[in-house]
Amino acid sequence: MPTVESSILVKGPKEEAYRIARNMEDYPRFMENVKQVKVVQREGNWTVTDWVTNVDGRIIKWQEKDIFNEERPHIEYRQVAGDLKKFEGEWRFEEVAEGTVITLTVDFELGIPMLSGLLNPILKKKTLQNCEAMLTAIKEQVELAG
């Protein structure tokens, strides 16, 4: 099961970074690969969201449950329906002297054992590139707001 983790330093408060990351319905407005995020259920500190992304011309759709911890702040997510066998991870926000370090972790499993050895390195690279693009987009939004 490949795991990808990427971090970025943002010049802004962690509360603002968390607020922007938490508002996933806005992602298509400033993230090129994210075409649609729709909240289909919201209760207390969690949502269920439908996602549509375009990665290298391939449309990928899934549904995930997002759990929000306002006090830390922290976001945990896991796929509840979609193309992969496993797709889950977290967003962490750490206050540092220069601003906030945002870390995005993705743990995924293709679910096709015979192809995993061949495809996992390619998928891991693509997933890392996508994580970096998402973090950069959130960084730009936080720094524009500040």
Side-chain angles (χ1 to χ4, degrees), residues 17-29:
Y18 174 72
R19 183 190 68 76
I20 290 170
R22 181 188 167 119
N23 195 4
M24 296 170 184
E25 286 179 297
D26 273 356
Y27 286 8
R29 187 175 55 79

Side-chain angles (χ1 to χ4, degrees), residues 119-130:
L119 295 179
N120 279 350
I122 297 166
L123 290 174
K124 189 171 183 175
K125 181 179 178 183
K126 281 286 161 202
T127 302
L128 179 60
Q129 290 171 346
N130 193 57

Side-chain angles (χ1 to χ4, degrees), residues 9-94:
L9 174 64
V10 176
K11 293 180 181 167
K14 73 178 178 180
E15 295 79 14
E16 181 67 9
Y18 174 72
R19 183 190 68 76
I20 290 170
R22 181 188 167 119
N23 195 4
M24 296 170 184
E25 286 179 297
D26 273 356
Y27 286 8
R29 187 175 55 79
F30 60 88
M31 291 184 185
E32 183 180 340
N33 291 342
V34 180
K35 300 306 173 191
Q36 179 181 340
V37 179
K38 181 179 179 186
V39 175
V40 294
Q41 188 176 1
R42 185 185 315 264
E43 285 192 38
N45 70 332
W46 60 270
T47 59
V48 175
T49 48
D50 284 342
W51 289 71
V52 178
T53 61
N54 184 335
V55 180
D56 291 340
R58 291 181 181 86
I59 299 297
I60 303 169
K61 298 178 183 182
W62 72 93
Q63 187 174 79
E64 69 183 42
K65 182 172 185 177
D66 308 294
I67 301 170
F68 305 99
N69 183 328
E70 302 289 330
E71 294 172 15
R72 280 176 70 188
H74 179 265
I75 302 168
E76 182 181 327
Y77 65 90
R78 67 176 165 77
Q79 176 183 278
V80 294
D83 296 332
L84 296 176
K85 180 177 180 182
K86 178 182 180 183
F87 181 73
E88 61 188 37
E90 66 180 349
W91 293 81
R92 296 188 314 269
F93 305 83
E94 180 187 357

Side-chain angles (χ1 to χ4, degrees), residues 96-136:
V96 295
E98 302 86 5
T100 302
V101 174
I102 306 172
T103 301
L104 176 56
T105 303
V106 180
D107 185 10
F108 66 93
E109 186 175 341
L110 186 58
I112 307 171
M114 291 174 43
L115 295 178
S116 292
L118 177 65
L119 295 179
N120 279 350
I122 297 166
L123 290 174
K124 189 171 183 175
K125 181 179 178 183
K126 281 286 161 202
T127 302
L128 179 60
Q129 290 171 346
N130 193 57
C131 286
E132 290 169 348
M134 291 179 81
L135 289 168
T136 299

